[in-house]
Amino acid sequence: MNTLSYILLCMLVRKPCSGYELKQYLTLFWESHHSQIYTALGKLHEQGYVTVENDATHKQKKIYHLTETGKAIVAEWLVEENKAPSQRDEFLAKVYVIALMDHQQATELLQDRLQHYRKMVKKYEQKTEEYDAITDTIEKERNLGRYLILERRLIMCTAEVEWCVWAQSTIDQLNTN
Amino acid sequence: MNTLSYILLCMLVRKPCSGYELKQYLTLFWESHHSQIYTALGKLHEQGYVTVENDATHKQKKIYHLTETGKAIVAEWLVEENKAPSQRDEFLAKVYVIALMDHQQATELLQDRLQHYRKMVKKYEQKTEEYDAITDTIEKERNLGRYLILERRLIMCTAEVEWCVWAQSTIDQLNTN
DNA sequence: GTACCCATGTAAAGAGTTACATGATTTC
DNA sequence: GAAATCATGTAACTCTTTACATGGGTAC
């Protein structure tokens, strides 16, 4: 059992999902490719942690349900100590050598990033609004975890935007002096 | 040439470094293990992008210097489009199912995270102060990139702290209602 | 009917992690 | 002189990415 498998089981706690759907939700906090998800789901099925249901309307679609054994190992995993989050961001390696770029190149680097994260902020603002619009208490509680993560994403993207603006003003000042 | 190799070359632009030293700097934005760094440096040497100097005082230590060819391929890489940052954070998978935890377990999860990031904030505050203390203009410019990255780290860790506090208050409210 | 998204899968190649292994230097 | 930290390296294993492959459903 690798981390991805535990995460998939976690997500099935909220509701039964297809692999495709899991992929969408996952991108909020865990990079992965469909090839990895489908093979992981296959193994989880073999191991009896999930059951598979063929969707009625979509022939190709498979809906995965968590079994009792699955629930049990998720519960065990939840209390284990967390591995430190891992991040890899090649943009920052470029920032590392920003002092050697000309002002225009440095600006381009920062402005591309800024624009990207501004879009992200808008996207996540919309998504959190969707949650706010939910009136049903049970549905709202079911989505609590997703909402907390979404809100965190929004906060982080906002922080990225603020950093970009600050970094740009910092290099601008050095340029004029 | 993989991304890590380009990043190592980037870092050598600032100043010649040993593999051990590169590892320290790298953790700011790119997770890696020494095994990976030493093998990558070996290949970069074979390819003529770096030269190796044996440190005078430390027999085991090897200092890597960027060659002209090395500089040239870094310059090419700098203008290439950036791959999206990748992040993997299993803590967030646990938050995803927070609605199913009892209040105490959820609190423990969030408070552990909060404490961890409070420590990080302190650590990075100290490091940015070290930069602020630099008076030499040339030295200050040489460290500009590192400073920008450090400041970003600080902003991000502060945002994590704020999110933890907010998330805790959110689940507290649900608990009392 | 065609373009786009939904939906799943396998195989090969590439990258990252863990374990094994060693030894020098500094600090107390 | 013992412990902690500095310092480097190889090998096996695991995980991730990319490429190959296919086909259904929906909107225009």
Side-chain angles (χ1 to χ4, degrees), chain A residues 140-165:
Chain A
K140 199 140 190 165
E141 200 189 324
R142 193 231 287 277
N143 286 296
L144 174 66
R146 236 179 83 69
Y147 170 63
L148 295 177
I149 292 167
L150 218 48
E151 196 69 42
R152 176 184 164 281
R153 235 348 217 176
L154 178 57
I155 286 175
M156 290 300 151
C157 288
T158 308
E160 290 279 7
V161 165
E162 281 163 14
W163 177 84
C164 284
V165 171

Side-chain angles (χ1 to χ4, degrees), chain A residues 5-44:
Chain A
S5 301
Y6 282 112
I7 290 176
L8 291 172
L9 292 179
C10 260
M11 306 190 81
L12 292 174
V13 167
R14 179 170 153 253
K15 72 176 184 73
C17 289
S18 67
Y20 190 87
E21 213 175 344
L22 288 167
K23 167 100 175 73
Q24 321 296 312
Y25 293 144
L26 218 49
T27 51
L28 267 175
F29 57 92
W30 196 274
E31 299 284 318
S32 59
H33 292 258
H34 71 267
S35 55
Q36 226 182 332
I37 292 169
Y38 293 127
T39 49
L41 285 170
K43 276 180 195 165
L44 289 171

Side-chain angles (χ1 to χ4, degrees), chain B residues 98-113:
Chain B
I98 206 164
L100 286 103
M101 293 179 191
D102 58 50
H103 188 254
Q104 200 212 310
Q105 197 187 350
T107 300
E108 213 169 288
L109 184 71
L110 292 175
Q111 293 302 309
D112 280 359
R113 177 93 163 183

